[in-house]
Amino acid sequence: MTGRYDETEGRGPEEPVVVRDRRRIDPLTGEVRPAAPAAEPQDGPKHAAPSEETASTEPEPATHAGPGLGESIVDESVSVATGLEKELAERTADLQRLQAEYANYRKRVDRDREQVVVGAKASVVGDLLPLLDDLERAEQHGDLTGAFKAVGEKLVGSLQRSGLEAFGTEGEPFDPSVHEAVQHSTSPDVTGPTVTMVMRRGYRFGERVLRPAMVGVTDHEPGGAPVDPPVGGELPLEGELFDENNR
C-alpha cells in the first residue's frame, strides 16, 4: 500500500519576500540617498566585515549631490543685463517722458483756459465803463440818490469783486503807460510830473489796462532867474532903482 504524496514534503522553509527601494531620490525628503553597498553573492565566500579603522578612513557619501526642491541654481548676487531688462528700462524712460509732456500740456491748457475766461470778463466789463462814467458824473452833481444810488453802488461793488480796479487820482505821479496827458502846466509846488487834474478815470482788470486815465499834468517849474549885480559890485536900493528908471 502506497502512502499519499505530500507536495510540501522535501521543501525547506519559504523565504520571505524582500522589496528593495533602489530610487536615488527619497520621495519624502527630496534628498539624494547614499549609494547602497553591492550585494554579496549567496553561494560565494563571505567576506569579513570591514574593521573600524577601515570604515573610519573611507569618505562618507555626499548627502546633497544636487539641488533640493525649491532651490535655485542661479547666483542672485550677479546681475545680468539681459535684453529684456534693457527693453524694460527704455519703456520706463519713455513712460516718464510721456508723463512729463502730458503734465506740461495740462498746465498750458489750464493757463490758456484761464486767459480766455479773463479776456471774456474784461470784454464785458469794458462795455460797462461808459455806464460807470455816467454814475460818477451823476454823483458829482448830486443826482445819484435814492434807489438809483443803491443800484449804482451794487453794480460798482460787483465789478470790483470781479477784479475791476479804478486808477487816476490827483497828486499821483504821472505814468505814461496808464495816463493820457491832455493838459500840461508848470508849478514850483511839485517836484516832478504830477497828475493835478483828472478828466476821465482809468480802469484796469487784473493786469490788463482797459482804459488809460485822461489827466492834466503839471511839471516842476524852477525858480526865477537871479538878478545880475551892477558893475560896481553893490546892489542898488529899491528907491534908487526906481528913481533911475524914472529919469
Side-chain angles (χ1 to χ4, degrees):
M1 182 175 179
T2 59
R4 186 177 179 179
Y5 177 74
D6 189 358
E7 294 179 357
T8 61
E9 293 181 356
R11 291 184 179 180
E14 295 182 359
E15 296 181 357
V17 179
V18 179
V19 179
R20 293 183 175 85
D21 188 0
R22 300 181 179 277
R23 288 177 291 184
R24 292 284 296 167
I25 299 176
D26 192 342
L28 298 179
T29 61
E31 297 181 355
V32 180
R33 294 175 175 175
E40 297 180 357
Q42 297 181 358
D43 299 336
K46 297 181 179 181
H47 298 279
S51 60
E52 296 180 357
E53 296 179 358
T54 306
S56 61
T57 56
E58 292 180 357
E60 297 181 358
T63 58
H64 294 81
L69 295 178
E71 296 182 0
S72 176
I73 61 175
V74 180
D75 189 359
E76 298 179 355
S77 62
V78 179
S79 59
V80 181
T82 61
L84 181 60
E85 293 177 351
K86 293 181 179 179
E87 185 177 358
L88 178 60
E90 293 177 358
R91 296 295 180 269
T92 303
D94 294 340
L95 180 59
Q96 293 176 352
R97 183 164 49 253
L98 182 62
Q99 289 179 346
E101 292 178 356
Y102 179 69
N104 295 332
Y105 169 75
R106 287 192 58 183
K107 292 180 181 179
R108 185 168 59 255
V109 169
D110 295 340
R111 184 174 59 253
D112 294 343
R113 184 185 299 112
E114 184 178 358
Q115 292 179 355
V116 170
V117 172
V118 172
K121 290 182 178 180
S123 178
V124 174
V125 173
D127 295 338
L128 297 176
L129 294 183
L131 178 58
L132 297 180
D133 294 337
D134 294 339
L135 292 175
E136 186 177 1
R137 281 191 292 267
E139 184 179 6
Q140 291 175 355
H141 291 83
D143 298 334
L144 190 63
T145 59
F148 184 45
K149 180 178 181 181
V151 173
E153 290 177 353
K154 289 182 180 180
L155 177 61
V156 174
S158 299
L159 295 177
Q160 289 178 351
R161 285 191 297 270
S162 299
L164 183 64
E165 180 183 357
F167 62 89
T169 57
E170 296 180 359
E172 65 182 11
F174 174 73
D175 186 357
S177 62
V178 295
H179 295 147
E180 181 180 355
V182 295
Q183 184 177 352
H184 183 266
S185 61
T186 58
S187 174
D189 298 333
V190 297
T191 58
T194 306
V195 175
T196 55
M197 181 183 301
V198 179
M199 304 174 187
R200 188 185 65 182
R201 195 175 302 275
Y203 291 95
R204 65 166 58 94
F205 191 84
E207 298 180 355
R208 181 179 303 182
V209 177
L210 299 180
R211 187 181 70 183
M214 187 180 298
V215 298
V217 182
T218 301
D219 286 336
H220 175 67
E221 181 182 0
V227 180
D228 294 335
V231 180
E234 295 181 359
L235 292 176
L237 297 177
E238 184 177 356
E240 295 178 355
L241 181 61
F242 178 78
D243 294 338
E244 292 178 357
N245 293 330
N246 292 334
R247 289 179 183 177

